[in-house]
């Protein structure tokens, strides 16, 4: 397993090595004010979107077929379309099946981190090398403007209480992952007027926890969400935020806002080529 071949964590690998996301996690335990998972459109490229939901065994059948056609896939990831750990059985079963059949492939998970901590040992056993955690705020007051609710251990949380719980669970999970030598990337959605002047503070606190990399993602317009009317972040502002955050954590600048069923190289997506295989596997 060569970790330098992860196309998201190593910019040098993005032209040569691809990834596949297996869409096995439909539910979410958090409501971010920029996300609308009801909307599924083949023309839309963003997290939270997938053309089908697969059961773990269907996902392996689909993976077998994709790997026959697209040989340079280096990473298998689970990134939704909900949250992997709001669907822990499906996520862990899929990772287990992939690890069993493809012992050398890199495994990756992208999560909001709310329910991640309790699975740190499972991830270590399954040799998950890369985890992305979306951390948009390290102050619950700011977080409370970003999240409508969080559901954890059969209870609903709202407002500052939800943001506080999310943050403390994220911190605990990242600590555990770093104790287990997992590479951790922090995704931060930069929301003008909400957390744009706070991203460097996120970078500083995540660097102190040992995170390895950060991806600052300007808010993407998604219809029907509370943030749908926020004006886009100007390019210059995005660059200056990355520069400032870069003082604490190396910055990933080649993110392509992948769908939860993305396939192929980051810059040359091949999801369309294999969509019929995915739908066939889902039947
Ligand atoms: Fe959407 Fe992900 Fe937020 Fe869940 S955690 S609401 S899937 S962006
Ligand atoms: Fe992992 Fe995210 Fe890259 Fe997918 S897009 S392989 S989840 S870092």
């Amino acid at each position: 397993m060569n970790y330098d071949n992860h196309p998201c964590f190593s910019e040098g690998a993005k032209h040569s090595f691809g990834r596949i996301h297996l869409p096995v996690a439909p539910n979410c335990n958090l409501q971010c004010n920029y996300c609308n998972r009801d909307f599924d459109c083949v023309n839309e490229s963003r997290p939270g979107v997938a053309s089908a939901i697969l059961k773990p065994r269907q996902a392996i059948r689909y993976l077998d077929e994709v790997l026959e056609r697209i040989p340079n896939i280096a990473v298998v990831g689970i990134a939704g379309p909900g949250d992997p750990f709001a669907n822990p059985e499906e996520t862990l079963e899929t990772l287990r099946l992939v690890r069993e059949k493809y012992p050398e492939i890199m495994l990756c998970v992208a999560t909001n981190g709310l329910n991640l901590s309790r699975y740190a040992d499972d991830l270590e056993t399954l040799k998950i090398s890369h985890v992305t955690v979306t951390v948009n705020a390290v102050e619950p007051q700011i977080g409370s403007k970003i999240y409508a609710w969080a559901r954890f251990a059969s209870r609903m949380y709202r407002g500052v209480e939800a943001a506080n719980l999310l943050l403390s669970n994220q911190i605990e999970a990242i600590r555990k992952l770093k104790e287990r030598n997992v590479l951790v990337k922090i995704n931060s959605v930069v929301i003008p007027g909400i957390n744009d002047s706070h991203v460097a503070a996120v970078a500083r606190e995540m660097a102190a926890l040992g995170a390895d990399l950060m991806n600052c993602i300007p808010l993407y317009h998604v219809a029907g969400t509370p943030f749908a009317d926020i004006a886009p972040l100007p390019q210059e502002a995005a660059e200056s935020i990355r520069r400032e955050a870069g003082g604490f954590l190396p910055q990933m600048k080649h993110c392509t806002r992948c769908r939860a069923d993305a396939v192929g190289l980051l810059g040359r997506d091949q999801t369309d080529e294999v969509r019929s295989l995915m739908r066939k596997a889902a039947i």
Side-chain angles (χ1 to χ4, degrees):
M1 226 180 285
N2 181 352
Y3 292 168
D4 291 341
N5 291 348
H6 194 303
C8 311
F9 282 67
S10 312
E11 188 165 5
K14 75 173 179 182
H15 298 298
S16 320
F17 296 97
R19 49 53 180 128
I20 176 169
H21 285 173
L22 298 176
V24 296
N27 304 319
C28 196
N29 47 9
L30 186 69
Q31 182 58 61
C32 306
N33 285 333
Y34 49 75
C35 178
N36 176 1
R37 288 177 304 114
D38 294 341
F39 194 77
D40 179 6
C41 166
V42 292
N43 294 320
E44 210 184 357
S45 179
R46 64 170 171 87
V49 172
S51 292
I53 301 296
L54 302 177
K55 301 270 183 228
R57 291 204 176 271
Q58 295 173 332
I60 298 303
R61 270 208 308 279
Y62 166 61
L63 177 63
D64 291 343
E65 296 207 45
V66 172
L67 292 179
E68 265 177 35
R69 288 167 174 78
I70 307 178
N72 59 351
I73 299 280
V75 190
V76 176
I78 298 183
D83 186 83
F85 299 103
N87 309 260
E89 279 151 30
E90 291 80 357
T91 293
L92 291 174
E93 175 67 356
T94 305
L95 293 171
R96 193 184 63 71
L97 291 169
V98 178
R99 177 52 76 232
E100 204 175 270
K101 190 150 189 192
Y102 299 100
E104 289 307 314
I105 209 155
M106 275 184 280
L107 288 173
C108 183
V109 183
T111 171
N112 59 42
L114 180 64
N115 196 30
L116 169 61
S117 165
R118 70 179 65 178
Y119 299 106
D121 286 337
D122 298 282
L123 298 184
E124 184 180 27
T125 306
L126 290 165
K127 298 192 175 66
I128 312 302
S129 49
H130 298 73
V131 173
T132 295
V133 185
T134 300
V135 181
N136 297 321
V138 290
E139 276 177 29
Q141 287 294 348
I142 297 177
S144 70
K145 298 179 191 161
I146 301 173
Y147 307 106
W149 52 257
R151 191 172 45 237
F152 183 69
S154 308
R155 226 196 103 185
M156 282 297 276
Y157 297 78
R158 294 180 194 277
V160 174
E161 205 192 5
N164 203 20
L165 173 76
L166 176 64
L167 178 62
S168 50
N169 287 11
Q170 289 171 329
I171 290 173
E172 184 184 313
I174 293 166
R175 276 209 184 103
K176 284 193 187 176
L177 292 177
K178 291 315 302 175
E179 283 164 13
R180 288 159 179 78
N181 290 322
V182 175
L183 290 164
V184 174
K185 172 160 72 69
I186 304 299
N187 277 1
S188 293
V189 179
V190 184
I191 310 157
I194 306 280
N195 72 344
D196 48 345
S197 53
H198 178 62
V199 176
V202 175
R204 188 177 54 227
E205 187 151 343
M206 294 301 114
L209 292 174
D212 299 274
L213 185 66
M214 184 181 208
N215 176 16
C216 298
I217 308 167
L219 178 72
Y220 182 67
H221 172 88
V222 179
T225 66
F227 289 167
D229 294 332
I230 293 182
L233 187 74
Q235 178 69 23
E236 265 177 30
E239 278 162 21
S240 134
I241 286 167
R242 286 193 184 113
R243 254 196 316 277
E244 207 190 339
F248 302 103
L249 270 182
Q251 299 290 299
M252 171 190 183
K253 295 178 187 151
H254 58 290
C255 172
T256 49
R257 291 182 172 129
C258 306
R259 291 167 57 95
D261 58 5
V263 179
L265 301 177
L266 284 195
R268 195 165 59 80
D269 199 81
Q270 290 169 278
T271 316
D272 281 342
E273 292 169 36
V274 296
R275 183 166 281 115
S276 59
L277 295 177
M278 190 194 319
R279 290 193 169 135
K280 197 176 88 193
I283 293 170

